[in-house]
Amino acid sequence: MTSSTSLLGKKVLVGVTGSIAAIKTPILVSRLVQAGAEVKCILTPNSTNLVSPLSLSTLSRNKCFQDKDQWEDYQAKPLHISLAEWADLIIVAPMSATSLSKFVHGNADGLLASTLLAADSQIIVAAAMNTSMWSNQSVKNNWNSLQKREQVIPLDPSEGLLACDRIGDGKMINLDIIELASESACLFKAQNKFLTKDLIGQRFLISAGPTIEDLDAARQLTNRSSGLMGVLMSHAAKLRGAEVDLVHGPVTFQKELLEGLNTYPVRTATQMQTVINDLQPVANVIVMAAAVCDFKKTSPSYKKVPKNLLINSILKNIEITPDIIKKLSSKKLQGQIFLGFAAETGSDQEIKDKGEQKRISKGCEFLMANPIDRKNQGFEENCNSGFLLGPNKMVKNILLSTKLSISHQLLDEIQNYQS
Ligand code: C5P
């Protein structure tokens, strides 16, 4: 995962409601605690049929609250008020149709419902229910009413085999994505803000991961890249309200991180170029985080070729792959913004100089130049640093931070540029 520091020391209140996905909530609680958060839980009466209060209190290292606690006579302040005031962040996972309806319609019946209404902190809600319930118009209306609310981060359920044996939408989004949303909310909380929905109405086209070129049936050429930077950019943009198309090569991080995204898996540079070309006309912002393989062999053999024959064939038939971003920016649409990435080595000055040359030659408004020869950052790491280069000789020093934090910083710059 994104080994984040943004959850460290944060007070997170986890609400659990009566959907079978509640069986996953203890793992979420454990992961939040491991990320350094202080966690307290509230269970609705129905959720106690599915998950035990003792599991949650043990994993959170705190008392787990239920409706009956609300009316204990020792409390100096009403419990729903003290819990709401305590929380830096609230996560309701899963959010059932009933609890959603109560929240949307201002119904304070029960400890969780009243705490949600009393809260001023950011609230993440991860819906989970049967497919027909999810597609019911009343539920849809309730869910849609949350989309533009600054305080709320609604996480759509994903598709899959549900506990009722139906296959369809309704599964609670996986815990990795809930954690990403939590980390994002905490990054904004550090600036005393809610996660902004400033990208509503925008469409992002993002590329990620390596591309691979076959030499023969067994050997291949590629560039180093896990794909994490591009996929985190995609989630960050989506959380901020953008529609996102993610075109990705064979990524090496856990596949769960692709859940909830509009994905277009490809393998070669030419395949990536074709898909990106098709999607360009609808994109407001194009982010090329992919490490496109620089070379390919003309007509690779579909059989395994003996080494000595293969090397001769490679030397005679090697060519440079198409520069996707350069070709794309030459037919840039009005108002379209391009952000490229450049993995570089050398001193800060060398990285900035090489980055600026690439930004101009590739026709990008922005280019993030990052070192790949320094410890604990870059390839296969959760952190990065570098320089964001932009129009009018803009140079922004991006300090060593998580790739998720960098994603939000880059989106801030794009947003400032557009407005
Ligand atoms: O590999 P290079 O340093 O030139 O990559 C810089 C930028 O150009 C990156 O955004 C990368 O995705 C893009 N690129 C591309 N097509 C290539 C090579 C790189 O779009 N063939």
Side-chain angles (χ1 to χ4, degrees), residues 207 223 288-294 321-326 339-344 358 362 367:
S207 72
N223 275 9
M288 276 296 294
V292 182
C293 183
D294 300 284
T321 52
D323 194 319
I324 302 173
I325 199 167
K326 195 170 181 167
L339 165 64
F341 279 76
E344 302 293 352
K358 280 191 185 170
K362 289 176 186 260
L367 186 131

PDB file of all heavy atoms in Angstrom, residues 207 223 288-294 321-326 339-344 358 362 367, ligand 1:
ATOM      1  N   SER A 207      -2.176   7.692 -18.150  1.00  0.00           N
ATOM      2  CA  SER A 207      -1.495   6.438 -18.484  1.00  0.00           C
ATOM      3  C   SER A 207      -0.599   6.041 -17.324  1.00  0.00           C
ATOM      4  O   SER A 207      -0.116   6.890 -16.578  1.00  0.00           O
ATOM      5  CB  SER A 207      -0.675   6.579 -19.765  1.00  0.00           C
ATOM      6  OG  SER A 207       0.459   7.378 -19.519  1.00  0.00           O
ATOM      7  N   ASN A 223      10.513  -1.138 -19.572  1.00  0.00           N
ATOM      8  CA  ASN A 223      11.104  -0.133 -18.689  1.00  0.00           C
ATOM      9  C   ASN A 223      10.681  -0.427 -17.272  1.00  0.00           C
ATOM     10  O   ASN A 223       9.632  -1.033 -17.066  1.00  0.00           O
ATOM     11  CB  ASN A 223      10.601   1.268 -19.061  1.00  0.00           C
ATOM     12  CG  ASN A 223      11.410   1.890 -20.171  1.00  0.00           C
ATOM     13  OD1 ASN A 223      12.237   1.246 -20.791  1.00  0.00           O
ATOM     14  ND2 ASN A 223      11.151   3.150 -20.421  1.00  0.00           N
ATOM     15  N   MET A 288       0.578  11.651 -18.675  1.00  0.00           N
ATOM     16  CA  MET A 288       1.339  10.488 -19.162  1.00  0.00           C
ATOM     17  C   MET A 288       2.332  10.073 -18.089  1.00  0.00           C
ATOM     18  O   MET A 288       3.474  10.529 -18.060  1.00  0.00           O
ATOM     19  CB  MET A 288       2.096  10.841 -20.449  1.00  0.00           C
ATOM     20  CG  MET A 288       1.294  10.741 -21.724  1.00  0.00           C
ATOM     21  SD  MET A 288       0.715   9.076 -22.168  1.00  0.00           S
ATOM     22  CE  MET A 288       2.231   8.216 -22.512  1.00  0.00           C
ATOM     23  N   ALA A 289       1.880   9.201 -17.186  1.00  0.00           N
ATOM     24  CA  ALA A 289       2.780   8.703 -16.140  1.00  0.00           C
ATOM     25  C   ALA A 289       3.391   7.365 -16.556  1.00  0.00           C
ATOM     26  O   ALA A 289       4.212   6.806 -15.835  1.00  0.00           O
ATOM     27  CB  ALA A 289       2.012   8.551 -14.834  1.00  0.00           C
ATOM     28  N   ALA A 290       2.993   6.858 -17.724  1.00  0.00           N
ATOM     29  CA  ALA A 290       3.498   5.545 -18.163  1.00  0.00           C
ATOM     30  C   ALA A 290       4.981   5.616 -18.511  1.00  0.00           C
ATOM     31  O   ALA A 290       5.465   6.627 -19.010  1.00  0.00           O
ATOM     32  CB  ALA A 290       2.711   5.071 -19.382  1.00  0.00           C
ATOM     33  N   ALA A 291       5.679   4.524 -18.220  1.00  0.00           N
ATOM     34  CA  ALA A 291       7.088   4.392 -18.629  1.00  0.00           C
ATOM     35  C   ALA A 291       7.080   3.591 -19.923  1.00  0.00           C
ATOM     36  O   ALA A 291       7.240   2.360 -19.924  1.00  0.00           O
ATOM     37  CB  ALA A 291       7.876   3.676 -17.551  1.00  0.00           C
ATOM     38  N   VAL A 292       6.850   4.308 -21.012  1.00  0.00           N
ATOM     39  CA  VAL A 292       6.709   3.633 -22.308  1.00  0.00           C
ATOM     40  C   VAL A 292       8.072   3.060 -22.706  1.00  0.00           C
ATOM     41  O   VAL A 292       9.088   3.752 -22.656  1.00  0.00           O
ATOM     42  CB  VAL A 292       6.236   4.638 -23.386  1.00  0.00           C
ATOM     43  CG1 VAL A 292       6.030   3.939 -24.723  1.00  0.00           C
ATOM     44  CG2 VAL A 292       4.964   5.346 -22.933  1.00  0.00           C
ATOM     45  N   CYS A 293       8.083   1.779 -23.076  1.00  0.00           N
ATOM     46  CA  CYS A 293       9.351   1.150 -23.482  1.00  0.00           C
ATOM     47  C   CYS A 293       9.888   1.884 -24.715  1.00  0.00           C
ATOM     48  O   CYS A 293       9.146   2.170 -25.651  1.00  0.00           O
ATOM     49  CB  CYS A 293       9.100  -0.318 -23.789  1.00  0.00           C
ATOM     50  SG  CYS A 293      10.608  -1.179 -24.220  1.00  0.00           S
ATOM     51  N   ASP A 294      11.174   2.220 -24.685  1.00  0.00           N
ATOM     52  CA  ASP A 294      11.726   3.105 -25.731  1.00  0.00           C
ATOM     53  C   ASP A 294      12.010   2.397 -27.047  1.00  0.00           C
ATOM     54  O   ASP A 294      12.093   3.032 -28.087  1.00  0.00           O
ATOM     55  CB  ASP A 294      13.018   3.738 -25.201  1.00  0.00           C
ATOM     56  CG  ASP A 294      12.731   4.547 -23.953  1.00  0.00           C
ATOM     57  OD1 ASP A 294      12.195   5.651 -24.081  1.00  0.00           O
ATOM     58  OD2 ASP A 294      12.995   4.045 -22.839  1.00  0.00           O
ATOM     59  N   THR A 321      10.221   3.328 -30.303  1.00  0.00           N
ATOM     60  CA  THR A 321       8.743   3.301 -30.263  1.00  0.00           C
ATOM     61  C   THR A 321       8.194   4.713 -30.503  1.00  0.00           C
ATOM     62  O   THR A 321       8.905   5.700 -30.292  1.00  0.00           O
ATOM     63  CB  THR A 321       8.241   2.785 -28.889  1.00  0.00           C
ATOM     64  OG1 THR A 321       8.881   3.556 -27.874  1.00  0.00           O
ATOM     65  CG2 THR A 321       8.532   1.326 -28.684  1.00  0.00           C
ATOM     66  N   PRO A 322       6.933   4.823 -30.901  1.00  0.00           N
ATOM     67  CA  PRO A 322       6.367   6.164 -31.117  1.00  0.00           C
ATOM     68  C   PRO A 322       6.338   6.963 -29.818  1.00  0.00           C
ATOM     69  O   PRO A 322       6.057   6.402 -28.759  1.00  0.00           O
ATOM     70  CB  PRO A 322       4.941   5.873 -31.598  1.00  0.00           C
ATOM     71  CG  PRO A 322       4.658   4.474 -31.186  1.00  0.00           C
ATOM     72  CD  PRO A 322       5.960   3.753 -31.148  1.00  0.00           C
ATOM     73  N   ASP A 323       6.671   8.252 -29.902  1.00  0.00           N
ATOM     74  CA  ASP A 323       6.561   9.104 -28.710  1.00  0.00           C
ATOM     75  C   ASP A 323       5.096   9.524 -28.602  1.00  0.00           C
ATOM     76  O   ASP A 323       4.633  10.436 -29.301  1.00  0.00           O
ATOM     77  CB  ASP A 323       7.489  10.324 -28.812  1.00  0.00           C
ATOM     78  CG  ASP A 323       7.642  11.003 -27.463  1.00  0.00           C
ATOM     79  OD1 ASP A 323       6.624  11.126 -26.754  1.00  0.00           O
ATOM     80  OD2 ASP A 323       8.769  11.393 -27.109  1.00  0.00           O
ATOM     81  N   ILE A 324       4.368   8.839 -27.738  1.00  0.00           N
ATOM     82  CA  ILE A 324       2.903   8.988 -27.676  1.00  0.00           C
ATOM     83  C   ILE A 324       2.518  10.418 -27.329  1.00  0.00           C
ATOM     84  O   ILE A 324       1.701  11.048 -28.003  1.00  0.00           O
ATOM     85  CB  ILE A 324       2.307   7.998 -26.644  1.00  0.00           C
ATOM     86  CG1 ILE A 324       2.683   6.563 -27.011  1.00  0.00           C
ATOM     87  CG2 ILE A 324       0.791   8.158 -26.550  1.00  0.00           C
ATOM     88  CD1 ILE A 324       2.298   5.518 -25.980  1.00  0.00           C
ATOM     89  N   ILE A 325       3.146  10.945 -26.275  1.00  0.00           N
ATOM     90  CA  ILE A 325       2.722  12.262 -25.786  1.00  0.00           C
ATOM     91  C   ILE A 325       3.082  13.353 -26.790  1.00  0.00           C
ATOM     92  O   ILE A 325       2.320  14.302 -26.993  1.00  0.00           O
ATOM     93  CB  ILE A 325       3.315  12.534 -24.379  1.00  0.00           C
ATOM     94  CG1 ILE A 325       2.540  13.640 -23.680  1.00  0.00           C
ATOM     95  CG2 ILE A 325       4.777  12.866 -24.411  1.00  0.00           C
ATOM     96  CD1 ILE A 325       2.837  13.774 -22.211  1.00  0.00           C
ATOM     97  N   LYS A 326       4.228  13.206 -27.441  1.00  0.00           N
ATOM     98  CA  LYS A 326       4.663  14.221 -28.408  1.00  0.00           C
ATOM     99  C   LYS A 326       3.695  14.280 -29.587  1.00  0.00           C
ATOM    100  O   LYS A 326       3.265  15.348 -30.014  1.00  0.00           O
ATOM    101  CB  LYS A 326       6.077  13.872 -28.889  1.00  0.00           C
ATOM    102  CG  LYS A 326       6.784  14.980 -29.587  1.00  0.00           C
ATOM    103  CD  LYS A 326       8.231  14.594 -29.787  1.00  0.00           C
ATOM    104  CE  LYS A 326       8.998  15.693 -30.463  1.00  0.00           C
ATOM    105  NZ  LYS A 326      10.436  15.467 -30.393  1.00  0.00           N
ATOM    106  N   LEU A 339       0.249  16.807 -18.813  1.00  0.00           N
ATOM    107  CA  LEU A 339       1.262  16.639 -17.755  1.00  0.00           C
ATOM    108  C   LEU A 339       2.076  15.400 -18.090  1.00  0.00           C
ATOM    109  O   LEU A 339       1.529  14.295 -18.173  1.00  0.00           O
ATOM    110  CB  LEU A 339       0.576  16.470 -16.385  1.00  0.00           C
ATOM    111  CG  LEU A 339       1.432  15.928 -15.236  1.00  0.00           C
ATOM    112  CD1 LEU A 339       2.570  16.881 -14.877  1.00  0.00           C
ATOM    113  CD2 LEU A 339       0.578  15.667 -13.983  1.00  0.00           C
ATOM    114  N   GLY A 340       3.378  15.593 -18.306  1.00  0.00           N
ATOM    115  CA  GLY A 340       4.270  14.455 -18.560  1.00  0.00           C
ATOM    116  C   GLY A 340       5.100  14.163 -17.323  1.00  0.00           C
ATOM    117  O   GLY A 340       5.118  14.938 -16.361  1.00  0.00           O
ATOM    118  N   PHE A 341       5.762  13.042 -17.338  1.00  0.00           N
ATOM    119  CA  PHE A 341       6.683  12.669 -16.259  1.00  0.00           C
ATOM    120  C   PHE A 341       8.035  12.359 -16.890  1.00  0.00           C
ATOM    121  O   PHE A 341       8.096  11.884 -18.021  1.00  0.00           O
ATOM    122  CB  PHE A 341       6.188  11.416 -15.518  1.00  0.00           C
ATOM    123  CG  PHE A 341       5.119  11.717 -14.494  1.00  0.00           C
ATOM    124  CD1 PHE A 341       3.819  11.987 -14.894  1.00  0.00           C
ATOM    125  CD2 PHE A 341       5.414  11.740 -13.136  1.00  0.00           C
ATOM    126  CE1 PHE A 341       2.832  12.277 -13.963  1.00  0.00           C
ATOM    127  CE2 PHE A 341       4.436  12.014 -12.194  1.00  0.00           C
ATOM    128  CZ  PHE A 341       3.140  12.283 -12.613  1.00  0.00           C
ATOM    129  N   ALA A 342       9.108  12.625 -16.174  1.00  0.00           N
ATOM    130  CA  ALA A 342      10.423  12.225 -16.680  1.00  0.00           C
ATOM    131  C   ALA A 342      11.259  11.692 -15.524  1.00  0.00           C
ATOM    132  O   ALA A 342      11.490  12.389 -14.534  1.00  0.00           O
ATOM    133  CB  ALA A 342      11.119  13.399 -17.344  1.00  0.00           C
ATOM    134  N   ALA A 343      11.645  10.430 -15.641  1.00  0.00           N
ATOM    135  CA  ALA A 343      12.505   9.799 -14.637  1.00  0.00           C
ATOM    136  C   ALA A 343      13.940  10.121 -15.027  1.00  0.00           C
ATOM    137  O   ALA A 343      14.377   9.774 -16.127  1.00  0.00           O
ATOM    138  CB  ALA A 343      12.265   8.299 -14.653  1.00  0.00           C
ATOM    139  N   GLU A 344      14.683  10.813 -14.152  1.00  0.00           N
ATOM    140  CA  GLU A 344      16.025  11.276 -14.516  1.00  0.00           C
ATOM    141  C   GLU A 344      17.045  10.914 -13.439  1.00  0.00           C
ATOM    142  O   GLU A 344      16.673  10.575 -12.312  1.00  0.00           O
ATOM    143  CB  GLU A 344      16.026  12.805 -14.702  1.00  0.00           C
ATOM    144  CG  GLU A 344      15.057  13.319 -15.766  1.00  0.00           C
ATOM    145  CD  GLU A 344      15.428  12.904 -17.187  1.00  0.00           C
ATOM    146  OE1 GLU A 344      16.514  12.333 -17.392  1.00  0.00           O
ATOM    147  OE2 GLU A 344      14.604  13.116 -18.097  1.00  0.00           O
ATOM    148  N   LYS A 358      12.546  18.365 -21.974  1.00  0.00           N
ATOM    149  CA  LYS A 358      11.500  17.394 -22.364  1.00  0.00           C
ATOM    150  C   LYS A 358      10.128  18.044 -22.363  1.00  0.00           C
ATOM    151  O   LYS A 358       9.310  17.780 -23.235  1.00  0.00           O
ATOM    152  CB  LYS A 358      11.496  16.189 -21.415  1.00  0.00           C
ATOM    153  CG  LYS A 358      12.577  15.197 -21.765  1.00  0.00           C
ATOM    154  CD  LYS A 358      12.446  13.892 -21.033  1.00  0.00           C
ATOM    155  CE  LYS A 358      13.661  13.036 -21.387  1.00  0.00           C
ATOM    156  NZ  LYS A 358      13.800  11.852 -20.588  1.00  0.00           N
ATOM    157  N   LYS A 362       8.155  17.948 -25.816  1.00  0.00           N
ATOM    158  CA  LYS A 362       6.975  17.081 -25.884  1.00  0.00           C
ATOM    159  C   LYS A 362       5.661  17.858 -25.858  1.00  0.00           C
ATOM    160  O   LYS A 362       4.581  17.261 -25.852  1.00  0.00           O
ATOM    161  CB  LYS A 362       7.010  16.069 -24.732  1.00  0.00           C
ATOM    162  CG  LYS A 362       8.109  15.017 -24.942  1.00  0.00           C
ATOM    163  CD  LYS A 362       8.251  14.070 -23.792  1.00  0.00           C
ATOM    164  CE  LYS A 362       9.432  13.137 -23.977  1.00  0.00           C
ATOM    165  NZ  LYS A 362       9.065  11.806 -24.466  1.00  0.00           N
ATOM    166  N   LEU A 367       5.498  19.240 -16.518  1.00  0.00           N
ATOM    167  CA  LEU A 367       6.264  17.985 -16.511  1.00  0.00           C
ATOM    168  C   LEU A 367       6.859  17.795 -15.123  1.00  0.00           C
ATOM    169  O   LEU A 367       7.443  18.710 -14.557  1.00  0.00           O
ATOM    170  CB  LEU A 367       7.370  17.995 -17.562  1.00  0.00           C
ATOM    171  CG  LEU A 367       8.081  16.638 -17.679  1.00  0.00           C
ATOM    172  CD1 LEU A 367       8.175  16.179 -19.127  1.00  0.00           C
ATOM    173  CD2 LEU A 367       9.463  16.684 -17.048  1.00  0.00           C
TER     174      LEU A 367
HETATM  175  O1  C5P B   1      10.955   8.348 -21.636  1.00  0.00           O
HETATM  176  P1  C5P B   1      10.903   9.842 -21.527  1.00  0.00           P
HETATM  177  O2  C5P B   1      11.765  10.396 -20.441  1.00  0.00           O
HETATM  178  O3  C5P B   1      11.056  10.529 -22.837  1.00  0.00           O
HETATM  179  O4  C5P B   1       9.394  10.116 -21.014  1.00  0.00           O
HETATM  180  C1  C5P B   1       8.928  11.398 -20.746  1.00  0.00           C
HETATM  181  C2  C5P B   1       7.435  11.479 -20.994  1.00  0.00           C
HETATM  182  O5  C5P B   1       7.131  11.063 -22.313  1.00  0.00           O
HETATM  183  C3  C5P B   1       6.570  10.597 -20.081  1.00  0.00           C
HETATM  184  O6  C5P B   1       5.408  11.343 -19.782  1.00  0.00           O
HETATM  185  C4  C5P B   1       6.249   9.390 -20.943  1.00  0.00           C
HETATM  186  O7  C5P B   1       5.029   8.794 -20.574  1.00  0.00           O
HETATM  187  C5  C5P B   1       6.189   9.999 -22.327  1.00  0.00           C
HETATM  188  N1  C5P B   1       6.576   9.064 -23.400  1.00  0.00           N
HETATM  189  C6  C5P B   1       5.672   8.766 -24.418  1.00  0.00           C
HETATM  190  N2  C5P B   1       6.046   7.917 -25.407  1.00  0.00           N
HETATM  191  C7  C5P B   1       7.275   7.362 -25.441  1.00  0.00           C
HETATM  192  C8  C5P B   1       8.197   7.652 -24.421  1.00  0.00           C
HETATM  193  C9  C5P B   1       7.807   8.505 -23.405  1.00  0.00           C
HETATM  194  O8  C5P B   1       4.554   9.284 -24.389  1.00  0.00           O
HETATM  195  N3  C5P B   1       7.604   6.550 -26.417  1.00  0.00           N
END
